[in-house]
Amino acid sequence: MIDLDWIAKPFGPGDIAGDGTKKLLGTSVATPSLLLRETAQNSWDARLVDEVPEYQMRFRRIGGEVIGVLRDHVFTGTSPSSGLAEVLRSPGVEAIEIHDRGTSGLDGPTNNDSQVDEGEPTNYRDFVLTVGAPRSRTLGGGTYGFGKAAAFRASTCGTLVIWTRILIAPGQFEERLIAAAVNPNFQLGNRRYTGQQWWGVRPQGDDSSVVQPVRGTEARAIGEAIFERTFAPGETGTSLLVLSPAYEDGRDSFIAESRAAVPINLWTKRLPNQASSRRMNISLTVDGEPIHIADSKDSRVIAAKEACLQAVRHAQAVGDGVEASAEVDPSVTVEEIWCRSPRTLVGHLAVTPCAVPPGDPFKSHENRVTLMRNQAELVVEDREYPSYRNMIGEWVGVFKPVRELDSAFSASEPPTHDSWNPNSLESAHKRLVNTGLRRIGEEVRTFLAPADAVEDEPQESASQLAAALGVLSRPVAGRSASAAPRPGRQSRDVKARTSKVEVTGYELVPQSEDGDPSTAITRITLLARSDGEYVRVTPKLDIGIDGRNSLGDPDEVYIGSWNTSEGVKYDGDGVRVRSGETFTVDVCYPDGVAIDCTFLGEDA
């Protein structure tokens, strides 16, 4: 069996320290959920045409001969900042083995500087050599390099073994194996290293950081000695071994969270009787034994979500032959989500009542709208609407944008793919995504309480604020002169209060060099006032004339961002803040108009 070469990356211009790579994903998602989401999305994107991909996560303990192979043949050296050496000295090591089959595997060139033609695969270098490389597959779900970063985050020693099998010509396959680690930067002799390391083959006569994978029979020999799931004849795909997983709350807790994360994040791939082009076979095993993953037979919440998705598919007429003939549950309400200016169909929202029985494993996941992309149909976010008056009880919903806007919603996602942030988009797409999210909230509000969507609280009209904001934008020709500010107007004239929120100030945000010159932004300072610990703040925005009369078309007035003690948030539906906290909100609107802003507050 071949011994791999250890290659550490020395610092060069513009390099990021290795442990900084793992921080790129942030910490908004718990490690079990993040690991499953990112690796499963990559597997889905790599699926082969006319095949149902297989995805499996195996929790195992390795020892004896396997540790010997890792210690003696794979990890032939390591950085002093790595915990890998200590891990390999243990008689038994925890590991997570993740594999997919029925996928393309990590094909394409194995070096980072080769030019490839448009449409040619670069999966190997995107996953192994590059952090955050976008998937070239149209409207896919993942980002290859970030899937790798999620796996590194899941390992206490930041170390993976990667084994892949690809098709290089009809009937001809190639196996590739390499190990990689991301650790804190370190120094050997007089040279500094980033902490990124690989174990593979160093090209003969080359003492640089260039590294190639082991190929062919040598790769197979090591792979079959390490991995439980090998490759059957004709199979392609990829296997990862995550060494020494970060079981912060214990192994059983990590497994339980991973098990729950499958139906939360991947339920769309497990619908019974759906077209093979939409399915993925997903499983988990613990010490060689398969474990049950809840589905629609176990949970009314999942069953209701599936009914909503089928209704949205039917409305959007994707036309794969299943949706057209599938029966739509009559309890599901489907609404078109439109932007009025410009008039554009943004997507479809399906909502349905969902009486959740005691003992439902996903009891805490009702009363949410699942947001997902049109074609990938991978869950982006389960969005809650806690401030809405609810007259029907428990419910669930599903929203998908239309295919034409899929790329706009995709572009608004952060690397973790767990939210839509319209503020990151250019003006035209920002307006469509922002309006879509706001319209979803409006339709949910109407569904829950058709006659009286939100319970009124004692409040003052914000018309004074709207008139005052007219001061901050240039007057529009033909507008009433009364829209102009009165001389000597003081800040007390712009207070808009409810029993829970007070507007204490405002300022016009200067236009940035790359900003939209037709859009003005006003930053409003708010104070949360309540005897409770938290206040939920919900905005009501419109364009006004004389600060009082609505134009009835609020699409062009939207929340850019909230800035609270917990950081910046991009949520047009509102924000939760601590009582007594002063925070700001950026309101975006067409330059030259007055706006009508009301902020509703209630204990949260």
Side-chain angles (χ1 to χ4, degrees), residues 404-467:
E404 293 77 11
L405 292 182
D406 217 13
S407 58
F409 281 86
S410 169
S412 73
E413 294 175 12
T416 45
H417 314 291
D418 58 357
S419 64
W420 285 330
N421 169 17
N423 214 42
S424 64
L425 300 174
E426 296 180 358
S427 178
H429 282 163
K430 178 191 293 185
R431 183 173 301 164
L432 290 169
V433 174
N434 228 320
T435 299
L437 293 175
R438 187 170 66 253
R439 293 284 188 228
I440 292 169
E442 292 172 358
E443 292 295 345
V444 169
R445 190 190 302 264
T446 301
F447 174 77
L448 296 180
D452 185 13
V454 178
E455 186 173 3
D456 291 334
E457 292 194 32
Q459 63 184 59
E460 296 179 26
S461 168
S463 58
Q464 286 181 309
L465 174 63

Side-chain angles (χ1 to χ4, degrees), residues 314-457:
H314 191 275
Q316 295 185 338
V318 176
D320 64 6
V322 173
E323 288 73 23
S325 60
E327 292 185 6
V328 176
D329 189 325
S331 69
V332 178
T333 300
V334 179
E335 299 291 347
E336 294 181 340
I337 302 298
W338 285 86
C339 176
R340 289 196 289 262
S341 178
R343 184 162 177 78
T344 306
L345 178 62
V346 177
H348 294 79
L349 169 71
V351 286
T352 185
C354 176
V356 185
D360 190 299
F362 296 96
K363 169 70 176 171
S364 61
H365 288 269
E366 79 279 22
N367 300 345
R368 305 181 187 193
V369 173
T370 299
L371 308 179
M372 67 181 69
R373 304 237 215 104
N374 178 284
Q375 290 189 268
E377 288 191 342
L378 292 164
V379 173
V380 173
E381 177 186 2
D382 280 332
R383 178 165 291 200
E384 297 182 82
Y385 297 87
S387 64
Y388 289 6
R389 184 178 183 183
N390 187 341
M391 299 176 65
I392 69 165
E394 296 156 324
W395 60 278
V396 299
V398 168
F399 170 80
K400 282 176 54 178
V402 295
R403 182 174 300 195
E404 293 77 11
L405 292 182
D406 217 13
S407 58
F409 281 86
S410 169
S412 73
E413 294 175 12
T416 45
H417 314 291
D418 58 357
S419 64
W420 285 330
N421 169 17
N423 214 42
S424 64
L425 300 174
E426 296 180 358
S427 178
H429 282 163
K430 178 191 293 185
R431 183 173 301 164
L432 290 169
V433 174
N434 228 320
T435 299
L437 293 175
R438 187 170 66 253
R439 293 284 188 228
I440 292 169
E442 292 172 358
E443 292 295 345
V444 169
R445 190 190 302 264
T446 301
F447 174 77
L448 296 180
D452 185 13
V454 178
E455 186 173 3
D456 291 334
E457 292 194 32

Side-chain angles (χ1 to χ4, degrees), residues 154-198:
S155 168
T156 61
C157 56
T159 305
L160 309 177
V161 182
I162 305 161
W163 182 28
T164 188
R165 193 169 193 249
I166 65 173
L167 182 69
I168 56 176
Q172 296 183 30
F173 300 89
E174 179 181 84
E175 296 187 31
R176 300 170 172 180
L177 185 140
I178 193 168
V182 174
N183 298 132
N185 61 81
F186 62 94
Q187 184 168 330
L188 286 178
N190 296 322
R191 198 165 193 184
R192 294 177 63 237
Y193 294 84
T194 66
Q196 296 185 59
Q197 305 158 76
W198 295 269

Side-chain angles (χ1 to χ4, degrees), residues 23-36:
K23 296 178 182 178
L24 290 175
L25 281 173
T27 57
S28 63
V29 183
T31 297
S33 177
L34 178 63
L35 179 64
L36 181 127

Side-chain angles (χ1 to χ4, degrees), residues 279-309:
R279 294 203 323 267
M280 182 158 65
N281 294 328
I282 304 164
S283 59
L284 274 66
T285 70
V286 178
D287 299 326
E289 295 296 324
I291 59 175
H292 176 69
I293 300 172
D295 57 22
S296 57
K297 299 184 185 69
D298 306 297
S299 170
R300 174 59 187 152
V301 174
I302 297 175
K305 287 184 178 184
E306 291 181 356
C308 287
L309 177 57

Side-chain angles (χ1 to χ4, degrees), residues 430-572:
K430 178 191 293 185
R431 183 173 301 164
L432 290 169
V433 174
N434 228 320
T435 299
L437 293 175
R438 187 170 66 253
R439 293 284 188 228
I440 292 169
E442 292 172 358
E443 292 295 345
V444 169
R445 190 190 302 264
T446 301
F447 174 77
L448 296 180
D452 185 13
V454 178
E455 186 173 3
D456 291 334
E457 292 194 32
Q459 63 184 59
E460 296 179 26
S461 168
S463 58
Q464 286 181 309
L465 174 63
L469 292 179
V471 178
L472 303 177
S473 56
R474 292 186 291 276
V476 178
R479 290 284 170 94
S480 168
S482 62
R486 295 192 303 271
R489 173 167 291 185
Q490 303 297 317
S491 61
R492 60 182 174 84
D493 293 324
V494 302
K495 287 186 178 180
R497 290 184 55 183
T498 71
S499 59
K500 300 291 190 297
V501 187
E502 179 179 344
V503 177
T504 62
Y506 59 87
E507 61 178 335
L508 186 66
V509 178
Q511 184 68 250
S512 63
E513 292 184 1
D514 57 350
D516 181 0
S518 66
T519 299
I521 303 175
T522 291
R523 181 164 296 149
I524 302 172
T525 302
L526 303 164
L527 172 65
R529 301 157 54 93
S530 173
D531 294 332
E533 185 176 359
Y534 288 95
V535 176
R536 177 74 187 182
V537 182
T538 304
K540 294 180 67 176
L541 309 174
D542 206 343
I543 295 175
I545 299 176
D546 295 342
R548 289 181 295 277
N549 301 318
S550 170
L551 294 180
D553 187 4
D555 280 355
E556 295 183 318
V557 186
Y558 56 90
I559 298 297
S561 64
W562 305 85
N563 200 323
T564 74
S565 61
E566 296 182 353
V568 179
K569 301 179 183 296
Y570 308 95
D571 190 341

